[in-house]
């Protein structure tokens, strides 16, 4: 399968714990995006990388959130001191700079904070 | 920033009939408009997109139209089938600003 993959698919945690999600983009894609989707809403942009550089961060991304893409391949999204309001689907997408804005999404990681 | 509105929020059509979903956008700089289909428990799947240099694009039973003057674009699905049942999202962005701004989604139900 050459699509975007995300792990884990589901994560249940207690309030105050830290969680980390991983995204593996399509292999030839140099752009990688994180979005958050709550129930009944469309995805909301969080941040994006071109290669290893983080080029834009949404105001939704509070200080408790950090994303990395150290070698320009996979990316991690960490949430520290989770809150119940962090419960959502976290989606990763990738695209090729040569292919325009076409973004291809992974299956997402569903986070539940108890 | 960009704001995308999508209507209707739910739509039920008889199998074989056509379905139309409409979106409006606020930022006149937007020039890329994709449509995504999302099935339960899955990530959004890109089904068709259009760039502002064309007014219409078609791919088999799916078509998208764009009216730049009115800042709205629409998804048309003809000869609907049960497997078309899903939530559909429109989005907008422009080259140089890579983030997609999504609409709130339309839950399409095809009645057999």
């Amino acid at each position: 399968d050459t699509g975007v993959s995300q792990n884990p698919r589901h994560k249940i945690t207690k309030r105050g714990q830290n969680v980390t999600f991983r995204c593996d983009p399509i292999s030839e894609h140099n752009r990688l995006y994180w979005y958050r989707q709550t129930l009944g809403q469309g995805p909301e942009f969080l941040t994006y990388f071109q290669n290893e550089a983080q080029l834009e961060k949404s105001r939704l991304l509070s200080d408790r959130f950090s994303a990395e893409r150290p070698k320009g391949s996979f990316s991690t999204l960490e949430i520290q001191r989770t809150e119940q309001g962090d419960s959502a689907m976290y989606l990763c997408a990738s695209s090729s700079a040569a292919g325009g804005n076409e973004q291809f999404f992974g299956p997402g990681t569903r986070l539940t904070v108890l | 920033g960009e704001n995308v509105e999508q209507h209707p929020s739910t739509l039920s059509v008889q199998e074989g009939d056509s379905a139309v979903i409409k979106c409006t956008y606020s930022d006149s700089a937007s020039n890329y408009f994709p449509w995504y289909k999302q099935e339960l428990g899955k990530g959004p799947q890109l089904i068709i997109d259009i760039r502002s240099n064309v007014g219409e694009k078609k791919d088999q039973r799916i078509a998208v139209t764009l009216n730049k003057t009115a800042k709205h674009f629409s998804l048309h699905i003809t000869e609907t089938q049960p497997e078309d049942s899903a939530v559909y999202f429109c989005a907008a962005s422009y080259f140089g600003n890579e983030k997609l701004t999504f609409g709130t989604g339309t839950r399409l139900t095809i009645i057999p």
Side-chain angles (χ1 to χ4, degrees):
Chain A
D1 189 341
T2 58
V4 178
S5 62
Q6 291 187 245
N7 288 289
R9 294 292 310 277
H10 304 273
K11 179 71 178 178
I12 299 174
T13 191
K14 293 182 179 179
R15 188 164 51 108
Q17 298 295 304
N18 299 344
V19 294
T20 300
F21 310 140
R22 176 177 169 130
C23 171
D24 288 88
I26 294 170
S27 59
E28 64 269 24
H29 284 182
N30 58 347
R31 289 178 175 164
L32 186 148
Y33 312 79
W34 286 99
Y35 290 83
R36 181 171 68 187
Q37 185 177 27
T38 53
L39 205 60
Q41 300 296 315
E44 295 176 293
F45 172 81
L46 293 178
T47 188
Y48 101 94
F49 294 83
Q50 178 154 317
N51 301 313
E52 65 275 9
Q54 188 173 17
L55 297 186
E56 187 171 351
K57 289 172 34 172
S58 163
R59 281 172 290 182
L60 291 175
L61 216 63
S62 76
D63 292 344
R64 297 183 298 105
F65 288 70
S66 63
E68 294 183 342
R69 195 183 184 199
K71 297 182 180 179
S73 57
F74 72 92
S75 175
T76 58
L77 177 67
E78 181 183 17
I79 309 175
Q80 296 182 329
R81 305 181 304 281
T82 52
E83 302 173 354
Q84 287 186 326
D86 296 331
S87 294
M89 175 79 86
Y90 290 84
L91 293 162
C92 176
S94 70
S95 74
S96 166
N101 283 25
E102 293 178 343
Q103 296 182 23
F104 298 90
F105 283 81
T109 294
R110 178 164 296 284
L111 172 66
T112 302
V113 181
L114 302 175
Chain B
E2 175 68 279
N3 182 51
V4 177
E5 296 189 354
Q6 183 171 346
H7 300 280
S9 57
T10 60
L11 179 61
S12 294
V13 301
Q14 207 71 34
E15 182 179 353
D17 288 350
S18 296
V20 180
I21 302 170
K22 299 181 179 181
C23 289
T24 60
Y25 61 98
S26 61
D27 190 342
S28 56
S30 289
N31 55 14
Y32 175 67
F33 307 94
W35 286 88
Y36 287 86
K37 175 183 180 182
Q38 188 172 29
E39 296 174 321
L40 195 63
K42 297 184 179 180
Q45 175 194 1
L46 178 66
I47 56 172
I48 196 168
D49 57 14
I50 191 168
R51 290 175 170 78
S52 60
N53 57 343
V54 297
E56 183 173 0
K57 182 176 178 181
K58 190 173 182 180
D59 182 3
Q60 299 183 355
R61 298 186 296 109
I62 294 173
V64 57
T65 58
L66 171 65
N67 183 326
K68 287 191 297 182
T69 304
K71 291 192 281 190
H72 66 69
F73 56 112
S74 300
L75 178 70
H76 304 253
I77 306 174
T78 59
E79 301 172 9
T80 53
Q81 301 168 4
E83 53 265 37
D84 295 330
S85 293
V87 179
Y88 290 81
F89 291 97
C90 61
S93 75
Y94 58 87
F95 298 124
N97 178 16
E98 307 308 324
K99 66 182 181 183
L100 293 173
T101 300
F102 284 82
T104 49
T106 297
R107 181 173 298 280
L108 175 63
T109 302
I110 307 302
I111 304 165

